[in-house]
Amino acid sequence: MTNETQIQVRTQVDEPSTKIFSSYKVENSSIIARMAVNETASNRSFGGYQNVYEHDSAACNCKMTFGVYFPPQAETKKCPVLYYLSGLTCTEQNVVTKGNTQMHAAKHGIIIVTPDTSPRGSNIEGEHDSYDFGSGAGFYVDATEEKWKWNYRMYSYVTKELPNVVNNAFSAKVDESRMSVFGHSMGGHGALVCALKNPGQYKSVSAFAPITNPMNCDWGRKAFQGYLGADEESHKAYDSCELARSYQGPNPNMMIDQGTKDQFLYQLLPENMEAACKEGNIPLKLRLQEGYDHSYFFMSTFMEDHVQHHAEFLCDEKASL
C-alpha cells in the first residue's frame, strides 16, 4: 500500500432512494478517515440533480446534512465547486428551495454545496434557547469554551472536513482544484472569514448582506463570547474586518451585495468592511442595492450575478456584470 491512497466505493442498498458513498483515505499505511455519505433525497432540476446527503461528522461529533446540486455537465466531466453558507436559523434547505441557485449553476457547470448552519442533536443544555446562538447559529467558528468545543466546530467543518468528504465521495464529478465560497448574513460572515483566513484556497468569495464586523455588533458579540470566551483577542480570528486589515495573500476576488432597506444594517456594518479592505489593500466590489431588504427576495434577485462572479474565476469566464 502506498503512503497515500484513496479508495472509492459506491454501493446500492435495499431502499432505492438511498445510496451510500464510502471513502477511505490511507496515509502512512494507516486509515486516518472514513466517510460514509448517505443520499437521502434527489430531485431533477435544470438538467442536473439537487441531492441531499448525511454523514457522521468528526468535526462536529454528530450526523450532519448537506445539499449538493450537480449540474448536467457533471455527468461527463469534473466541475468546480461553490460552497454556500446560510444565515441564522437556516438549514441546508433554505437556499436550495428559495435561492434560485440551480438554474444559474446549470448554466455555468458549477456544483453548489450547501451545508447546515450548526451541529444538530448534540443535546447541549441551552442550545435551543435563542435564534442567534446554538442550533442554527454556529457562526462558522471553532468553539473553545468547554461546553461547546466538542460539537460547535463549524469553521473546521466547512473549510476542511466537508470539502474532504465531497472531494472523496464524488471524485468523478468534482474538480477539487477549483473551489469558491459565498453566503448570506451569518453565512456571508462565514464566507468572508473562510476566504480571508485561507489565502488562495478559494478562487473567489462573495456575500449577501454579511455580518462583516461581528466584534462590533450584538449578534457577533453574543456568539463570540459564548463560543470563544471573554478574551477579545481570540475573537479577531473570526472577524472579517480584522482579517482584512492584516490580510497577506492573493486577491480574494471579493464581492458584497447589500440592500439599502435591510432592517439589520446596524448589525451588518458594510461601511466597516469597506474601510478595512482599503486599509488592507484588498479590492472590494461593494454594491448597494436600492430598496432591497435582508430576505431571500433580495438574494434570489441577485443570485445570477453572484454565480456569474464565481464563474469568472472558477470557469475562466469573462465578467459581464
Side-chain angles (χ1 to χ4, degrees):
M1 186 175 292
T2 61
N3 284 343
E4 182 170 350
T5 306
Q6 293 181 353
I7 305 169
Q8 288 293 121
V9 181
R10 174 172 173 167
T11 59
Q12 180 78 41
V13 297
D14 291 339
E15 297 81 6
S17 63
T18 303
K19 298 173 185 175
I20 298 177
F21 303 80
S22 297
S23 302
Y24 300 83
K25 185 174 182 182
V26 181
E27 191 170 340
N28 297 324
S29 302
S30 63
I31 297 176
I32 63 170
R34 180 185 186 279
M35 294 157 283
V37 180
N38 302 318
E39 181 183 289
T40 61
S42 181
N43 297 95
R44 192 79 164 149
S45 180
F46 292 97
Y49 287 92
Q50 177 63 61
N51 297 346
V52 178
Y53 301 94
E54 62 180 19
H55 73 111
D56 292 321
S57 168
C60 298
N61 284 301
C62 67
K63 194 174 292 293
M64 295 292 285
T65 302
F66 63 95
V68 182
Y69 177 69
F70 292 110
Q73 296 89 334
E75 293 298 316
T76 57
K77 67 177 183 179
K78 293 188 176 185
C79 296
V81 184
L82 178 55
Y83 286 83
Y84 175 87
L85 307 184
S86 291
L88 290 168
T89 75
C90 291
T91 69
E92 83 289 342
Q93 283 298 307
N94 294 72
V95 72
V96 165
T97 57
K98 298 189 291 185
N100 199 25
T101 55
Q102 296 87 355
M103 177 172 64
H104 308 303
K107 175 182 176 182
H108 297 286
I110 295 174
I111 295 168
I112 295 187
V113 177
T114 55
D116 202 349
T117 55
S118 75
R120 305 286 176 174
S122 302
N123 298 317
I124 300 173
E125 183 183 0
E127 69 176 333
H128 308 309
D129 289 354
S130 60
Y131 79 95
D132 55 357
F133 186 82
S135 295
F139 258 85
Y140 305 102
V141 303
D142 281 351
T144 55
E145 289 295 282
E146 184 66 27
K147 183 177 180 179
W148 306 98
K149 70 179 183 180
W150 303 107
N151 302 98
Y152 280 73
R153 294 173 46 81
M154 289 300 294
Y155 172 74
S156 286
Y157 179 70
V158 299
T159 60
K160 299 174 184 176
E161 184 178 24
L162 183 58
N164 194 29
V165 168
V166 169
N167 293 343
N168 281 276
F170 312 113
S171 59
K173 299 178 181 294
V174 170
D175 180 352
E176 60 183 88
S177 70
R178 294 183 290 162
M179 177 170 66
S180 291
V181 63
F182 69 148
H184 170 236
S185 193
M186 178 186 73
H189 141 76
L192 295 173
V193 166
C194 289
L196 293 171
K197 282 176 71 68
N198 298 280
Q201 179 171 325
Y202 301 94
K203 301 294 186 182
S204 51
V205 58
S206 72
F208 300 93
I211 303 171
T212 68
N213 194 189
M215 291 181 67
N216 286 312
C217 75
D218 292 341
W219 279 340
R221 281 190 289 261
K222 179 177 179 178
F224 285 5
Q225 289 170 13
Y227 294 132
L228 304 174
D231 182 8
E232 291 191 356
E233 283 299 311
S234 67
H235 301 178
K236 291 180 180 180
Y238 297 103
D239 187 293
S240 298
C241 288
E242 295 290 337
L243 293 169
R245 291 188 186 98
S246 59
Y247 180 78
Q248 298 290 325
N251 184 351
N253 301 311
M254 184 186 301
M255 182 173 81
I256 294 175
D257 269 343
Q258 176 62 63
T260 62
K261 296 296 184 182
D262 193 313
Q263 60 271 43
F264 301 114
L265 269 172
Y266 68 99
Q267 301 264 28
L268 308 175
L269 306 172
E271 65 278 8
N272 291 9
M273 188 63 183
E274 184 175 31
C277 284
K278 287 180 179 178
E279 187 175 338
N281 295 312
I282 298 175
L284 168 64
K285 182 186 292 184
L286 174 61
R287 309 191 313 176
L288 300 180
Q289 304 295 358
E290 184 62 36
Y292 284 90
D293 58 19
H294 200 68
S295 71
Y296 271 86
F297 294 110
F298 160 58
M299 291 171 54
S300 61
T301 300
F302 298 103
M303 185 62 70
E304 180 178 12
D305 290 358
H306 281 248
V307 176
Q308 171 64 51
H309 169 74
H310 294 291
E312 178 185 351
F313 304 101
L314 291 173
C315 310
D316 297 320
E317 296 184 8
K318 185 177 180 180
S320 60
L321 301 183

